[in-house]
Amino acid sequence: MSEPGTLRPRVERLAREAAKFGVVGGLGTLVNMGVFNLVRHFTELPVVRASLIATIVAILFNYVGFRYFTYRDRDKSGQAREMTLFLLFSVVGAVIENGVLYAATYGAGWDTPLQSNFFKFFGIGVGTLFRFWSYRSWVFKALPVEKTGKTEAERAVRTAEALLEKTPRQATRKQPDRV
């Protein structure tokens, strides 16, 4: 069981993380929906293929946003592993997202532009739940936390500050008064 008083900071960190994830995800949704509608309007591609193209563009956009905004404070030591896992979980999210659109379009016959946009958006929402869990759990891993609750970065800052306090300061010489 966790120590008293540790739940609130953890919930606050999770809320900040979810908010940042939401900002990037919201912008990614705009990219996804925008590309989807542009491809639908200017090409003759079927609905799900247009959606897959839009999803790929949004995945690339989201990786940059997640790595350099949402999870910028997370471990960056294994970027090849991170990219591989991100793409793997993104593919699963894309299957969820586009599976909803596929079922609505080809299973139920709902294929007007309004219906396609609704089910595309709904699929993005369902896929986002999976992506949030998988990205924070497997892709952008948190830096290790000491028993004191401090991250490695905070411990390094504390150590540097302690060293600076121990460093002897140079004596300042008083300049003679000039006449």
Side-chain angles (χ1 to χ4, degrees):
M1 185 164 211
S2 62
E3 295 178 28
T6 60
L7 180 61
R8 184 173 181 177
R10 290 175 65 193
V11 169
E12 288 173 352
R13 277 194 307 273
L14 180 62
R16 279 193 304 275
E17 179 182 333
K20 289 179 181 181
F21 189 92
V23 167
V24 173
L27 292 172
T29 299
L30 290 176
V31 167
N32 198 334
M33 295 298 291
V35 171
F36 174 66
N37 283 292
L38 286 171
V39 171
R40 288 279 323 264
H41 184 73
F42 291 110
T43 70
E44 297 294 323
L45 286 175
V47 174
V48 176
R49 286 189 191 153
S51 180
L52 284 169
I53 291 169
T55 302
I56 291 167
V57 172
I59 286 170
L60 297 174
F61 175 87
N62 287 345
Y63 178 78
V64 172
F66 291 141
R67 169 42 49 216
Y68 299 105
F69 177 66
T70 304
Y71 299 114
R72 69 176 172 253
D73 60 336
R74 299 290 179 99
D75 186 15
K76 295 178 181 83
S77 62
Q79 286 191 316
R81 175 191 164 281
E82 174 184 287
M83 179 66 86
T84 302
L85 287 173
F86 182 84
L87 290 174
L88 173 74
F89 290 123
S90 293
V91 166
V92 173
V95 168
I96 294 169
E97 172 186 329
N98 291 292
V100 169
L101 182 61
Y102 181 89
T105 303
Y106 300 110
W110 295 323
D111 61 355
T112 67
L114 180 61
Q115 291 167 332
S116 294
N117 276 292
F118 174 81
F119 286 104
K120 171 78 172 157
F121 188 77
F122 183 73
I124 290 171
V126 175
T128 296
L129 294 174
F130 170 76
R131 288 180 181 120
F132 180 71
W133 169 79
S134 63
Y135 294 166
R136 78 180 308 270
S137 300
W138 298 98
V139 180
F140 301 105
K141 295 187 133 243
L143 291 169
V145 177
E146 295 179 4
K147 291 183 185 209
T148 61
K150 302 289 184 186
T151 64
E152 288 290 326
E154 291 168 325
R155 190 171 56 109
V157 168
R158 228 178 32 248
T159 303
E161 288 172 342
L163 287 173
L164 289 174
E165 288 175 4
K166 291 179 183 178
T167 305
R169 300 184 187 250
Q170 288 186 349
T172 55
R173 292 187 335 175
K174 186 175 180 183
Q175 297 292 323
D177 291 332
R178 294 188 183 216
V179 181

